Amino acid sequence: MKREILFLMLCTFISSVFVSAQNNTLTRKEKQEGWKLLFDGKNFDGWRKCNAAGMATNWEIDEEAMKVKRGERAGHGQGGDILFAGEKFSDFELSVDWKIEKEGNSGIFYYVVEEPGKPIYNAAPEVQVLDNWNASDNRLTNHLAGSLYDMLPALPQNAKPAGEWNTILIRVKDGKATHTQNGVKVVEYTLWTPEWYELVAKSKFKDWPGFKEGPAKEGYIGLQDHGYDCWFRNIKIRKL
C-alpha cells in the first residue's frame, strides 16, 4: 500500500511539473506556424507602461503570469496600463490566458496608438475581461467577458468564474475580426465598414475622435490596469 501511495504521489508531482513547464512556451508546431511568445513567465521584457519609457510599477510576476495588482480603490487603476512595445501588428492572431479576482474588471487591447495625455483605450478596440457573476459592470451583455467592449456581446457567454483561467483568441485579418473564448467563437465583426461605424455611433465611443476616425490599421497589444488583481499568461501572437 505504501509503495502504491508513493507511486501515486510521484506521478502527481511529475504531472504537475510537466503541466507547469507548458506555460509560456511554444510547441514545435506553433513555432512552425509562426507563433511568437510575448511573455516568458519570468520577466517583462518588451513590455512597458503606455506613454512611458519603463514598466508600470504595479505589475508583478505571479504564478508564471503577469499580474496587475489591486489598487487602493477597486475599479480605479493606478495608471498602470501597459503595452508590448517590441512590435506593432496589423493582421494577427493573439492568444491570451487570463483570470481575475472576484468582482474584477480588466481588458485586452489591440491597435493601440500612443498619444501623450490620452489613455490606452482612447482609440483601441477592447476585448473585455470580467468576473461576469460579481463585477459591478455586468449589467450590459456587451460588457461581459470576451465582448467587444460596449459594442458587441460575446455570445454564447461561456467565461469561467473568478479565479479560473480563461483563454481568448483574437483574430484580425483584412479588417475581419473574431473573438474565440474558451474554444468557442463568441464575437464577429468587420472594422472600418458602415456596420462598424454604426456600432461606434451606438456606443460610449460615439464622440471619441479615435473611434470616429479609426481605429488605426496597426498598433500595439495592450493590457489594462482597472484596479483589480488580474493575471495574464501564455501571451502569444502570430502574423497573418
Side-chain angles (χ1 to χ4, degrees), residues 32-183:
Q32 292 172 343
E33 292 173 344
W35 288 93
K36 172 185 177 180
L37 278 177
L38 301 188
F39 171 62
D40 66 1
K42 301 175 183 177
N43 58 61
F44 292 107
D45 287 357
W47 293 85
R48 62 172 170 79
K49 183 177 177 179
C50 185
N51 285 315
M55 181 61 190
T57 58
N58 60 322
W59 288 74
E60 65 181 3
I61 308 296
D62 180 58
E63 298 183 34
E64 298 182 300
M66 303 169 65
K67 177 188 176 184
V68 57
K69 295 182 285 185
R70 187 182 180 94
E72 293 182 2
R73 295 175 60 204
H76 298 269
Q78 303 175 68
D81 295 333
I82 62 172
L83 50 80
F84 182 77
E87 190 172 357
K88 295 180 180 180
F89 298 92
S90 53
D91 291 344
F92 64 88
E93 280 187 317
L94 171 70
S95 182
V96 181
D97 291 353
W98 63 267
K99 73 173 181 177
I100 198 157
E101 69 167 318
K102 185 177 180 180
E103 300 182 358
N105 188 332
S106 188
I108 301 167
F109 300 93
Y110 67 91
Y111 291 168
V112 175
V113 175
E114 292 179 287
E115 293 186 49
K118 300 288 186 179
I120 194 171
Y121 49 81
N122 179 59
E126 177 183 356
V127 180
Q128 177 73 316
V129 168
L130 195 79
D131 169 15
N132 285 349
W133 287 263
N134 303 291
S136 61
D137 197 23
N138 67 356
R139 296 177 180 85
L140 298 177
T141 56
N142 60 13
H143 286 198
L144 298 179
S147 297
L148 175 64
Y149 179 70
D150 207 60
M151 296 175 73
L152 280 174
L155 299 172
Q157 184 47 240
N158 65 342
K160 298 177 183 178
E164 295 188 23
W165 286 103
N166 294 266
T167 299
I168 189 77
L169 176 68
I170 305 162
R171 187 181 196 276
V172 184
K173 174 66 174 174
D174 298 326
K176 296 180 180 179
T178 58
H179 305 174
T180 299
Q181 183 165 256
N182 296 325

